[in-house]
Structures are given as structure tokens and as C-alpha cells.
Amino acid sequence: EFRSGAQSTEETFAPTSSKYVVNILLILCLIHQLSILVCDIKDAFLTVPQRELVIVEVPSWIKSEGSPQFWKLCRCLPGQRRAALHWNEFFESVVQQMGFIAFEPMPTVFRHTDRRVYLTIHVDDLLVIGSDFDCKWFLNELSLHFNLKSSGPFSSSEPAEVQYLKKNIIITPDGIVVEPCKQYIPKLLELLHVENRREKTCPHHNNLEAYSRDKILPGELLNAEQARVFRGGLGLCLYLAQDRPDVQEAVRVLSTYMGSPTVRAMSALKHLACYLKGTAEYGIFL
């Protein structure tokens, strides 16, 4: 029932949305002058009825005299192999009753059949695009089924800032800016110990090419601790690169060293970090 090394199957697969869906919905928001609503569904899995019979031994620290030895689960728990799949199917059934249909190639994206309302869900986080009236209607309807925490709706014509999946969505008079989470850049600088280095004007180190085993000398490889730091820093850059096209080529080349990090690759990673230090406010402008 719980993951223990077994391979995932179609029965345990839960769909999710591409990050580009967020940008597409925001563009629809601008074109049709709609509003933005962000929702977080609290204890999402615990709202889903348990389908399979799951028996849990009552832990000793909670037992009392005369208490049962076992419990029967009536709701899904985070960590169950099928919980995410069952949650997705349960959420879809709820919004279908509200008049939404899923986009077949990406079933976590929905549109309403009568209203101009679009939404995407990532586990329990929702981004909803619609008129101010329709966003409030959606919020009221969904609150009949789930305990919600919401932000908005925010009109695309009025300055505002909202977070979705750790991205900053900034509404300006001229359009919408999507920024990656800024907290990762100071974290990257601290990890690589380059907080006090001067900023760079270009993301790519001109002496670094994609990894080729034939060109790497044994003495160039990082030790285990240095390799751990390299991989941790590159992981942060991979996340930032989703909304930073200016660093994607540098991150692509650095990623070829993930298996065998070198001194030169570490130097290039620090170079990239210093570039990000001076461009923390950059984002995608729609």
C-alpha cells in the first residue's frame, strides 16, 4: 500500500500540469481582461473516501484501556501509493458537477462549458482565471466541498502581486511578470560561498563546454563533499531556469556535469550564481 521500492504503475500515476500552462492561462487573462484567483485546498487527501480496504495498527502511544487494536481507514492519507491518483479523480468529479471539463492531453487543466473560466491544479494548489464575478462564484461553489485558503480575485487591470507554486505573479499596468522564487538565489549564493563576490553580466562561463569524458582529467574531478554542493546548487538553478530563459543554456551545459562534477564546472556554477545575484528581479514579461 505504501511505497517500498516497487515500480509505479498506471494505477498509481497521478497527472500534473506543465508549468507553461500557468503562462498560457495568464495570457488568456490579459487577452480577455479577466481576473486571477489562487486557492489552496487544505487537507486535500483527507477529503477523499478510501477505496481499498486499509487496516492500520493503532500505535502504542495512543492506546488506552479498552481501545481497539486496529483502525480502518475511511479517508486517503498522504503517502499512500494511490492517494494522489484518487485525489485527482475526486477533484475532477467535483468540478465536473460545477460544469467544468478536463483537457484530455493534460487532465489537470479545466475549462467551464458555459462560463469563461479556466483553471489548473497542481496537487492541492489551484490557479483560476475568470471574470471577477465568475471567480467569486467558483470560490463559493468549491467551498461547499473543501476547506479553502484563497488569494484574490485580482483584476488584470489593477496592480497586484500573488504567489502560485512559489512563483511571484505581478500584475502591472502594462502586463504580467512571472518571477521564480527569489529565496533560491540567496540560498544558492550561501551554498557556494559567493555572497561577497561581484556580480557578473553574462550567465555563461566562456571556458565551459558540455561534458565529454575524454576531455576530463582525473585530477579535475571534485571530491564527494564538493560534488554534493555542486549538485545542490545546480538543483536550485534548474528550478530557477524554468522562468529564466536567459540562464537556460548555461544550466543545460552545467547539467551535463551532474554525474561527474569538475573544478571548472564548479567555477562556472559560481559564475552563474554571481550573474543571478545581479539579476534577481528578472522574470518573464507577458
Side-chain angles (χ1 to χ4, degrees):
E1 178 60 35
F2 288 81
R3 186 175 181 88
S4 57
Q7 289 186 343
S8 293
T9 66
E10 187 174 347
E11 290 185 345
T12 60
F13 174 78
T16 187
S17 300
S18 161
K19 77 167 195 70
Y20 296 105
V21 167
V22 174
N23 291 0
I24 291 171
L25 293 189
L26 294 177
I27 290 169
L28 284 173
C29 174
L30 290 169
I31 290 173
H32 299 296
Q33 296 182 322
L34 302 175
S35 296
I36 300 170
L37 172 67
V38 171
C39 300
D40 174 31
I41 299 175
K42 298 181 180 179
D43 300 323
F45 288 7
L46 295 177
T47 66
V48 184
Q50 183 70 240
R51 297 184 191 176
E52 299 85 7
L53 176 63
V54 180
I55 303 299
V56 179
E57 185 175 0
V58 178
S60 58
W61 58 268
I62 204 172
K63 281 183 180 179
S64 60
E65 187 176 351
S67 65
Q69 187 176 355
F70 298 97
W71 285 333
K72 174 185 174 182
L73 285 188
C74 296
R75 290 288 185 269
C76 290
L77 292 178
Q80 287 181 261
R81 285 177 57 76
R82 298 182 181 179
L85 172 64
H86 291 172
W87 156 247
N88 182 265
E89 293 174 345
F90 181 71
F91 176 82
E92 183 174 358
S93 69
V94 169
V95 294
Q96 279 179 344
Q97 295 174 28
M98 297 167 56
F100 285 88
I101 57 173
F103 178 49
E104 188 174 349
M106 195 172 293
T108 53
V109 180
F110 300 84
R111 70 171 176 84
H112 199 274
T113 52
D114 298 319
R115 303 168 184 260
R116 183 171 280 168
V117 185
Y118 313 92
L119 70 91
T120 179
I121 183 168
H122 183 88
V123 189
D124 56 0
D125 293 311
L126 280 80
L127 176 68
V128 184
I129 303 298
S131 69
D132 188 77
F133 177 84
D134 285 337
C135 284
K136 290 176 180 177
W137 163 83
F138 174 84
L139 199 57
N140 290 333
E141 290 292 317
L142 202 65
S143 63
L144 299 176
H145 303 273
F146 305 112
N147 187 9
L148 301 174
K149 179 182 177 182
S150 62
S151 183
F154 300 101
S155 170
S156 59
S157 60
E158 298 178 7
E161 183 170 345
V162 63
Q163 282 197 336
Y164 179 68
L165 301 181
K166 298 184 179 179
K167 303 175 191 293
N168 295 322
I169 299 173
I170 305 169
I171 304 171
T172 74
D174 302 313
I176 295 176
V177 179
V178 182
E179 294 180 345
C181 181
K182 295 179 183 178
Q183 297 174 357
Y184 286 110
I185 295 177
K187 192 174 180 180
L188 174 65
L189 298 172
E190 181 181 358
L191 178 67
L192 301 178
H193 303 292
V194 293
E195 304 100 310
N196 298 321
R197 288 196 184 183
R198 65 173 184 167
E199 300 166 0
K200 300 293 184 181
T201 57
C202 178
H204 191 65
H205 196 291
N206 58 6
N207 290 329
L208 188 72
E209 299 177 349
Y211 176 82
S212 173
R213 186 168 61 177
D214 298 335
K215 297 180 180 180
I216 305 299
L217 300 175
E220 287 186 88
L221 296 175
L222 301 178
N223 61 38
E225 175 58 22
Q226 292 169 331
R228 182 193 66 79
V229 172
F230 176 86
R231 295 185 180 111
L234 184 53
L236 293 170
C237 292
L238 282 164
Y239 178 84
L240 291 166
Q242 296 180 50
D243 298 298
R244 290 290 301 269
D246 54 327
V247 305
Q248 287 176 357
E249 174 62 12
V251 172
R252 182 194 70 81
V253 174
L254 283 166
S255 297
T256 64
Y257 291 84
M258 188 69 91
S260 302
T262 64
V263 173
R264 187 177 297 180
M266 177 64 90
S267 177
L269 180 61
K270 291 180 178 180
H271 179 103
L272 174 59
C274 292
Y275 170 79
L276 288 167
K277 176 184 177 182
T279 58
E281 302 296 325
Y282 281 22
I284 295 176
F285 177 67
L286 306 173

